[in-house]
Amino acid sequence: MENTFYVTTPIYYVNDIPHIGHAYTTIAADVLARYHRLTGSKVFFLTGIDEHGQKVQEAARERNISPQEHCDEMVVRFQDLWKKFNISNDAFIRTTEERHKTVVQEILIYLYKKGEIYKTSYEGWYCVPDERFWTEKDLVEGCCPECGRTVQQIKESNYFFRMSNYQKWLIDYIEKHESFVLPQTRRNEILGFLRQPLEDLCISRPRKRLSWGIPIPFDSDYVTYVWFDALINYVSASGYLKDNDRFFPFWKNAVHLIGKDILTTHCVYWPTMLKAMGLEPPRMVFAHGWWTIEGKKMSKSLHNTVEPNMLIENYGTDPIRFFLLREGTFGLDSDFSHKALIHRVNSSLANDLGNLLNRSLAMTIKYFKGRIPKHSSFEAIDESLHEKAVQVVKKVDTHMGEVAFQKSLDSIWELIAMTNKYIDESAPWFLAKDTNKQKRLATVIYSVLESLRFISILLFPFIPSSAEKMWGALGMKESIDQQRLDNIKKWGMLKEGTVVTKIPPLFPRIEN
Ligand code: MSP
């Protein structure tokens, strides 16, 4: 049976202006999706937008338009940005779509009938901006523990999901499944959180206070709590209840990429909801760290939000994709600065990779009129380059399985560095001057180009458009996104006689 791979990003709030935090998760998911396609898996890559809730209702009211009109206008900013970033998502879900709303309502009815949802009156502290209830002990100095703003005491009847029933099951599940919550620190955080008694989850909001939500199908006075609605996107968009034959094979291999701030919703609410629905938890929830900007928290009030469209304009798509995944470890916080970005692009992309490509193509053109030469028997130095290339493919595979982007790129750069060193040590420019060394020269140039073939394929998930140009420059005719690692990871597949082309520098140096 075909392998499947299902990767998701959080669905972003429609009101937000896309920033590098959003771009980070979406690019990471894109790299995983593209990598798994390369391995031959059948991939489903989902991203989308979270459109219900108080903030959307208020923003629309201020603009004097309907919430739906507001969403329809705002969603485009994300969709346009993903196009610019070359994001290869297979689907895009909006929570105001009928296909999503009906699944949410069917799930609500199922859980209600099953006794998993009940109505009761509740008194608690409510944070309006976060749309969340807190208990007295949750509050920090009388304020919302999440955003620090003042809370209001509210008494009202609402519907609750019996989340508390699943506490024991969840602890057990997390303990038995080591890679369900990653990285390890986040797994410990969730297990720590679960040492306190787990309460039931309020999953409705009275319509008189908030109307912009999915109506609770068994009580028209209420709409669905936005997180209960939003989490369901991961199953509604992949066919649950509507096309189960498509849904289940993907679901067993689902990986949710999220930021560390939305850990509880994804690792406590979501698996318990799924359990009550009779579904398995996703295979993995990986929580990445946050980007700070020049050492400071990114925030609207500090006016230091990094705007991705501006970054693309200044530096181009692939340098940003590369920087975001190379600069930090995926599960930890990272710091953004223009200086670091420029340094990284100049040293890794312009120098190491760009120069390797340029000089290799230039030598092929100069010494062999642009035709890939025929190699003769390989010497030890050639063999070690081959071995390295094959070994790097394996290493990247291991690292990608661990969602370790930085390590994957480091491994690819080992091959780039070794190829550069191979050229320096083999000194083709001396071989070229000696008529007796023409065969050796051909073998060296062949080996360099073959290594570049490996490099371009391995880089394709990370910097797709540049890798595609490299691939084209090497004279490869079939499209790079149709390649499968299994078929191409053998050394010596470049065909002699293929014509290479010189292309403008892929990564021009950025001057400070
Ligand atoms: N709508 C919810 C998610 C629902 S998923 C069923 C939401 N949306 S969000 O737009 O506020 O946040 C989306 C993501 O952006 C989160 O994963 C969050 O971690 C991430 N980031 C927000 N600021 C960030 C940084 N400064 N750095 C990295 N990621 C950051 O939450």
Side-chain angles (χ1 to χ4, degrees):
M1 210 179 80
E2 212 172 9
N3 283 334
T4 53
F5 181 71
Y6 179 20
V7 62
T8 67
T9 73
I11 48 172
Y12 307 111
Y13 289 126
V14 70
N15 259 356
D16 273 8
I17 297 172
H19 56 61
I20 58 162
H22 304 118
Y24 186 44
T25 333
T26 310
I27 291 168
D30 186 57
V31 173
L32 281 187
R34 286 176 184 273
Y35 182 75
H36 281 85
R37 288 189 198 112
L38 261 189
T39 66
S41 291
K42 196 168 168 202
V43 170
F44 187 59
F45 167 20
L46 173 71
T47 186
I49 295 293
D50 194 350
E51 304 192 285
H52 289 121
Q54 196 114 22
K55 282 184 213 155
V56 178
Q57 181 173 300
E58 273 159 24
R61 191 177 293 146
E62 270 168 34
R63 298 180 61 203
N64 231 346
I65 55 175
S66 74
Q68 189 65 60
E69 277 175 288
H70 175 72
C71 293
D72 292 348
E73 279 177 28
M74 306 293 274
V75 72
V76 182
R77 294 171 317 164
F78 283 92
Q79 289 167 327
D80 285 351
L81 183 64
W82 301 154
K83 272 193 211 111
K84 284 193 200 168
F85 267 122
N86 225 338
I87 301 300
S88 64
N89 54 303
D90 299 290
F92 188 92
I93 181 86
R94 299 179 56 186
T95 52
T96 51
E97 286 175 68
E98 232 19 72
R99 61 171 173 149
H100 171 72
K101 292 197 277 190
T102 53
V103 174
V104 171
Q105 291 189 324
E106 281 174 46
I107 290 172
L108 283 166
I109 291 170
Y110 175 75
L111 295 179
Y112 187 56
K113 283 196 182 145
K114 212 176 143 216
E116 301 279 358
I117 289 176
Y118 62 96
K119 190 178 184 185
T120 188
S121 112
Y122 178 86
E123 195 167 348
W125 296 97
Y126 191 67
C127 172
V128 181
D130 284 347
E131 297 164 42
R132 261 179 94 161
F133 276 105
W134 300 102
T135 61
E136 185 82 40
K137 68 172 177 4
D138 290 330
L139 302 182
V140 177
E141 292 169 6
C143 294
C144 170
E146 204 156 274
C147 68
R149 283 174 279 208
T150 48
V151 286
Q152 302 169 7
Q153 175 120 52
I154 289 188
K155 183 170 186 212
E156 64 189 23
S157 285
N158 262 315
Y159 286 91
F160 286 78
F161 161 53
R162 294 189 194 281
M163 191 160 72
S164 60
N165 280 357
Y166 295 101
Q167 176 161 18
K168 215 181 139 300
W169 166 80
L170 183 58
I171 295 173
D172 199 49
Y173 187 88
I174 296 175
E175 277 171 351
K176 284 202 183 113
H177 296 82
E178 282 198 3
S179 53
F180 169 47
V181 183
L182 285 176
Q184 191 74 25
T185 45
R186 301 296 162 210
R187 180 167 180 261
N188 296 340
E189 189 179 321
I190 286 294
L191 286 171
F193 173 86
L194 288 169
R195 277 199 277 276
Q196 304 294 323
L198 190 61
E199 300 194 1
D200 287 346
L201 180 68
C202 179
I203 55 124
S204 66
R205 296 291 181 261
R207 198 194 277 272
K208 61 180 179 337
R209 191 150 58 76
L210 169 71
S211 60
W212 187 236
I214 300 180
I216 295 276
F218 39 83
D219 191 335
S220 56
D221 288 340
Y222 292 89
V223 299
T224 312
Y225 168 46
V226 70
W227 268 104
F228 193 89
D229 153 2
L231 287 161
I232 290 175
N233 93 86
Y234 299 131
V235 297
S236 68
S238 47
Y240 180 54
L241 297 180
K242 306 292 164 197
D243 186 357
N244 280 339
D245 289 346
R246 184 166 78 96
F247 170 75
F248 280 102
F250 281 121
W251 187 247
K252 71 177 170 41
N253 244 324
V255 172
H256 296 326
L257 298 187
I258 61 165
K260 63 181 185 180
D261 55 318
I262 50 178
L263 194 67
T264 318
T265 48
H266 282 80
C267 301
V268 179
Y269 298 5
W270 185 222
T272 55
M273 284 164 64
L274 288 163
K275 179 73 182 159
M277 285 153 58
L279 290 181
E280 285 291 304
R283 178 164 69 76
M284 182 192 290
V285 179
F286 196 107
H288 64 69
W290 270 37
W291 284 88
T292 51
I293 311 300
E294 314 218 335
K296 293 200 183 68
K297 192 171 177 225
M298 183 165 70
S299 81
K300 280 186 200 138
S301 54
L302 286 177
H303 299 292
N304 66 347
T305 311
V306 175
E307 208 282 296
N309 288 291
M310 179 274 290
L311 283 184
I312 294 178
E313 234 159 75
N314 284 348
Y315 304 109
T317 297
D318 281 348
I320 308 300
R321 290 177 60 113
F322 174 75
F323 172 78
L324 290 177
L325 295 185
R326 173 61 188 77
E327 192 64 8
T329 303
F330 195 58
L332 303 175
D333 291 348
S334 312
D335 189 51
F336 176 90
S337 71
H338 290 275
K339 200 169 155 219
L341 194 156
I342 291 170
H343 175 72
R344 184 68 69 195
V345 171
N346 283 346
S347 69
S348 301
L349 293 180
N351 286 0
D352 304 343
L353 176 61
N355 284 347
L356 171 62
L357 179 69
N358 273 347
R359 61 179 178 154
S360 307
L361 294 174
M363 288 189 292
T364 315
I365 290 165
K366 188 166 170 200
Y367 305 141
F368 298 100
K369 299 201 175 72
R371 291 190 181 274
I372 297 180
K374 180 173 163 27
H375 67 79
S376 24
S377 59
F378 292 119
E379 295 182 4
I381 182 173
D382 315 326
E383 296 293 354
S384 34
L385 187 64
H386 312 172
E387 274 160 30
K388 184 74 180 178
V390 175
Q391 183 199 16
V392 164
V393 174
K394 288 197 192 121
K395 276 199 196 176
V396 169
D397 196 54
T398 308
H399 298 322
M400 291 301 271
E402 294 160 353
V403 198
F405 300 108
Q406 191 187 42
K407 285 188 184 163
S408 301
L409 286 167
D410 279 349
S411 301
I412 303 172
W413 253 258
E414 281 174 25
L415 180 59
I416 293 172
M418 185 155 173
T419 314
N420 270 322
K421 195 160 157 249
Y422 172 87
I423 297 179
D424 296 340
E425 287 175 0
S426 309
W429 40 90
F430 289 133
L431 300 174
K433 286 187 189 142
D434 187 337
T435 43
N436 294 328
K437 301 246 167 87
Q438 294 310 297
K439 276 193 171 167
R440 180 69 199 136
L441 175 67
T443 306
V444 168
I445 297 297
Y446 182 89
S447 299
V448 169
L449 296 173
E450 180 62 346
S451 176
L452 275 166
R453 185 178 69 88
F454 272 67
I455 293 166
S456 54
I457 290 164
L458 290 170
L459 282 176
F460 178 63
F462 294 89
I463 46 172
S465 114
S466 310
E468 193 172 5
K469 286 183 192 146
M470 286 175 67
W471 182 255
L474 292 172
M476 309 303 278
K477 292 283 172 284
E478 315 90 45
S479 85
I480 190 167
D481 60 1
Q482 297 304 313
Q483 303 306 309
R484 297 291 165 259
L485 263 186
D486 262 351
N487 307 331
I488 52 183
K489 68 184 180 195
K490 250 181 63 209
W491 186 267
M493 291 183 62
L494 269 186
K495 286 196 199 70
E496 60 168 286
T498 308
V499 179
V500 306
T501 355
K502 186 121 175 66
I503 52 171
L506 281 183
F507 309 102
R509 275 189 75 79
I510 307 169
E511 301 308 332
N512 289 318

